[in-house]
């Protein structure tokens, strides 16, 4: 029988808070990259107002990004710093700060020079052309056997040929 091993206390190499912070930052980087790719995706060439939100409504997107950054700044200053209103405490100061930022964002959207939202003209719908049946279309162009004639206007007119062969299908 082998001797019993003594139990040793497990000592993690990193503190739990540090691991959680690293995972959260990694997830935020991936999510932010995916969001930017979605916002900046290109539209159809020559068609205004297509693509991602940054392509279609650039002013509104900039306003929303600035508002989110300001909200993050308020949250960071109140949580990390000592910029709190004494009567309201931390939670009340965050609520008041968020309200001020949102009111300023709304006023910025109202008084943005030239308007914050662009209205694109409606694009015409392109009808899909029906697909042609490959059996009914001749596989080769008929050979021109007749001579070319010249009309009075000086253009060359080629006569139509009457001998065209129908397409053949193999395997039937």
């Amino acid at each position: 029988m082998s001797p019993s091993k003594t139990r040793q206390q497990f000592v993690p190499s990193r503190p739990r808070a540090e691991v959680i912070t690293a995972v959260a930052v990694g997830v935020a980087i991936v999510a932010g990259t995916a969001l930017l790719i979605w916002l900046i995706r290109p539209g159809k060439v020559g068609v205004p107002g297509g693509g991602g939100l940054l392509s279609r409504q650039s002013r509104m997107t900039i306003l929303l990004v600035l508002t989110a950054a300001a909200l993050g700044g308020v949250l960071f200053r109140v949580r990390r710093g000592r910029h709190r209103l004494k009567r309201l405490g931390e939670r009340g100061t965050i609520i008041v700060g968020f309200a001020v930022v949102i009111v300023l964002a709304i006023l910025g959207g109202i008084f943005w020079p030239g308007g914050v939202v662009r209205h694109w003209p409606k694009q015409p719908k392109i009808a899909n052309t029906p697909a042609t049946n490959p059996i009914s279309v001749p596989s080769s162009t008929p050979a021109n056997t007749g001579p070319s004639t010249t009309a009075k206007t000086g253009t060359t007119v080629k006569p139509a040929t009457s001998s065209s062969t129908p397409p053949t299908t193999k395997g039937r």
Side-chain angles (χ1 to χ4, degrees):
M1 195 174 202
S2 66
S4 64
K5 295 182 180 179
T6 59
R7 289 195 146 206
Q8 295 179 1
Q9 187 175 3
F10 173 71
V11 180
S13 60
R14 301 267 185 226
R16 183 176 298 213
E18 191 174 312
V19 172
I20 290 173
T21 302
V23 169
V25 168
V27 168
I29 289 172
V30 171
T33 303
L35 179 67
L36 282 176
I37 290 171
W38 180 73
L39 287 173
I40 304 175
R41 71 186 186 276
K44 295 178 183 175
V45 177
V47 178
L53 189 61
L54 195 56
S55 299
R56 290 178 290 154
Q57 299 293 340
S58 57
R59 294 177 179 181
M60 190 63 167
T61 305
I62 290 171
L63 182 65
L64 289 175
V65 168
L66 289 176
T67 303
L71 290 174
V74 166
L75 186 65
F76 180 77
R77 285 185 62 111
V78 172
R79 298 282 303 211
R80 295 285 181 205
R82 299 291 174 219
H83 303 282
R84 296 186 187 120
L85 300 175
K86 291 180 182 178
R87 286 183 170 174
L88 300 176
E90 183 177 334
R91 185 179 294 169
T93 305
I94 290 173
I95 291 172
V96 169
F98 277 20
V100 169
V101 168
I102 290 172
V103 167
L104 288 175
I106 291 171
L107 289 175
I110 291 171
F111 295 113
W112 191 295
V116 73
V117 176
R118 275 191 215 155
H119 297 285
W120 295 97
K122 187 174 181 179
Q123 299 299 321
K125 292 187 178 183
I126 300 172
N128 292 337
T129 57
T132 58
N133 187 359
I135 295 175
S136 65
V137 178
S139 61
S140 63
T141 57
N144 187 3
T145 57
S148 298
T149 58
T150 306
K152 291 181 181 179
T153 59
T155 60
T156 304
V157 179
K158 295 183 180 181
T161 59
S162 60
S163 62
S164 65
T165 58
T168 59
T169 57
K170 294 182 180 179
R172 285 198 209 186

